[in-house]
Amino acid sequence: MPSEPPPSARRKLACWADALKRRWKEAREKADLPTDRPNLVMSSAVQVCWEKFCNYFDVEPRYVPISEDHKVLDGHDLDKYVDENTIGVVAIMGVTYTGMYEPVEQISEALDRIEERTGLDVRIHVDGASGGMIAPFIQPDLAWDFRVKRVYSISTSGHKYGLVYPGLGWIVWRETADLPESLIFKVSYLGGEMPTFALNFSRPGAQVLLQYYMFLRLGFDGYRRVQQTSHDVAKYLSGEIEQMDDFTLWNDGSDIPVFAWMLNDKPDRKWNLYDLQDRLRMKGWLVPAYPMPVDLTQVTVQRIVVRNGFSHDMAEAFIKDLKSCVKYLDGLRSPMPSEARTSGFHH
């Protein structure tokens, strides 16, 4: 399985996606078919970097909308978006908005049915930006990786749950043949021939060395304990919030240690999640509130991300402050000022 550690997770994305586009293009050219209309299928809840790739590399983005019945890309209605020009389907292990996993096996099964009916063999890229460093350690039985035959490549970010500072991303392909030879450059001016596959050549090695050190220092069991602790804290927080009358969980942090919740309907309530976000910020907690993506923009959620170092003691302190903020807001006699009120956070 060839791998490449470009210095930036976003450059890594461009390298991977261009490899998939090149593979599709070369197959089309060999069959003497047009190559001018490639498309990429993904959830409407993808991170903005995917939109950037499609814009920069002239690929049509096809967004499968999420809904309250289908909270992630799960294979539902996939046949409406996939065609002969589809270069691949993106499955996200930890959606930015909510932290939920997209079921890779289920997506693969939907693509199997499409192939049986149409003959189209569409591959999957797993965007494991967060979950790629969580699932192997605390959810080992979950099939999301190369155990699923359609998974062609997997990417992850060292700076999310890899315990490395920002800027490091990784990508792994199933087989050497999955990385088109036409994208690999061979240079010989460093005293020997060296293959390179990245958007830049010279780069610092500190981030790679740090990731290597963390793997050696913690080992598999150390990473398992770190990630399990974060997971336990997220489950504790979501359980406490679920018991509060004002909130309904969108998800409970069972995937990566990230979860979101909505505000219940309540007559005469004088506040919303943006007001709660502001009150929590006064107490030192940065808990963003924001609208869900297209077709669900009427739904506002608030999200917690639990990382290494967020202890049970801190979680208990947060719940205490959360209840205090809700009590204050419930005591309002009139609505909070609402002019130009939006989230102070952006993805």
Side-chain angles (χ1 to χ4, degrees):
M1 292 180 290
S3 64
E4 175 74 17
S8 161
R10 298 309 165 218
R11 293 194 190 108
K12 168 201 65 186
L13 167 67
C15 292
W16 161 76
D18 194 35
L20 196 60
K21 179 184 175 184
R22 188 70 60 94
R23 175 186 171 275
W24 169 84
K25 182 179 179 181
E26 290 176 357
R28 297 279 291 178
E29 287 175 340
K30 190 175 295 185
D32 198 27
L33 294 170
T35 62
D36 59 330
R37 299 179 60 189
N39 67 70
L40 184 65
V41 177
M42 51 197 153
S43 160
S44 61
V46 293
Q47 218 264 2
V48 69
C49 63
W50 290 101
E51 299 177 44
K52 291 179 179 179
F53 161 75
C54 289
N55 186 9
Y56 298 160
F57 285 78
D58 293 322
V59 173
E60 176 196 353
R62 292 190 174 177
Y63 300 112
V64 181
I66 64 171
S67 66
E68 295 194 38
D69 293 327
H70 300 277
K71 293 182 175 181
V72 294
L73 176 67
D74 57 10
H76 176 71
D77 279 348
L78 198 57
D79 56 331
K80 295 180 180 179
Y81 299 87
V82 170
D83 61 24
E84 63 179 6
N85 293 312
T86 300
I87 67 173
V89 174
V90 177
I92 308 171
M93 290 293 286
V95 173
T96 301
Y97 287 82
T98 62
M100 295 179 69
Y101 288 158
E102 294 186 332
V104 179
E105 257 192 322
Q106 200 169 316
I107 295 170
S108 180
E109 290 167 358
L111 290 172
D112 288 343
R113 293 190 293 272
I114 290 172
E115 183 175 12
E116 289 172 5
R117 192 175 65 256
T118 66
L120 297 174
D121 179 15
V122 179
R123 304 293 182 90
I124 295 172
H125 171 74
V126 175
D127 181 357
S130 297
M133 289 289 188
I134 295 289
F137 302 106
I138 65 173
Q139 296 135 346
D141 296 329
L142 180 64
W144 61 277
D145 46 21
F146 294 130
R147 286 171 288 182
V148 180
K149 68 176 184 177
R150 287 191 181 275
V151 173
Y152 154 91
S153 52
I154 300 169
S155 58
T156 190
S157 299
H159 66 267
K160 291 188 172 71
Y161 284 97
L163 309 181
V164 179
Y165 47 76
L168 182 67
W170 300 92
I171 180 166
V172 182
W173 285 268
R174 177 186 287 272
E175 298 176 357
T176 303
D178 291 328
L179 177 56
E181 186 70 24
S182 59
L183 287 176
I184 300 174
F185 294 83
K186 296 178 181 178
V187 297
S188 59
Y189 54 78
L190 296 178
E193 188 174 83
M194 176 182 176
T196 177
F197 173 65
L199 295 184
N200 61 345
F201 185 70
S202 299
R203 58 180 182 265
Q207 297 157 327
V208 178
L209 289 173
L210 178 57
Q211 184 82 82
Y212 184 48
Y213 168 78
M214 293 303 294
F215 283 150
L216 291 178
R217 175 68 178 85
L218 294 177
F220 186 93
D221 188 59
Y223 265 86
R224 182 194 59 77
R225 285 183 285 135
V226 168
Q227 313 300 35
Q228 187 64 60
T229 297
S230 296
H231 191 263
D232 291 345
V233 171
K235 289 288 289 181
Y236 163 76
L237 285 167
S238 67
E240 291 293 310
I241 291 172
E242 186 176 29
Q243 294 178 37
M244 298 176 67
D245 293 337
D246 289 282
F247 307 121
T248 296
L249 293 180
W250 181 270
N251 61 305
D252 66 357
S254 294
D255 297 331
I256 65 173
V258 175
F259 66 94
W261 66 90
M262 303 173 290
L263 199 59
N264 288 334
D265 290 332
K266 190 175 181 180
D268 302 322
R269 180 186 281 120
K270 302 296 191 297
W271 57 277
N272 59 31
L273 290 179
Y274 295 111
D275 299 321
L276 179 57
Q277 167 191 270
D278 293 341
R279 292 299 303 179
L280 286 170
R281 194 163 191 165
M282 292 178 191
K283 292 182 177 290
W285 301 106
L286 303 181
V287 189
Y290 47 82
M292 293 292 273
V294 176
D295 293 326
L296 268 182
T297 53
Q298 76 281 5
V299 176
T300 299
V301 298
Q302 200 159 13
R303 181 194 66 182
I304 282 179
V305 176
V306 177
R307 299 283 296 275
N308 181 40
F310 195 99
S311 66
H312 277 279
D313 287 345
M314 291 179 68
E316 290 173 0
F318 171 77
I319 292 298
K320 181 179 178 181
D321 284 343
L322 175 64
K323 291 179 178 178
S324 172
C325 290
V326 170
K327 183 177 180 180
Y328 169 84
L329 292 169
D330 278 342
L332 293 174
R333 295 183 179 180
S334 60
M336 298 286 283
S338 60
E339 289 185 11
R341 181 171 53 196
T342 61
S343 173
F345 301 83
H346 303 280
H347 296 299

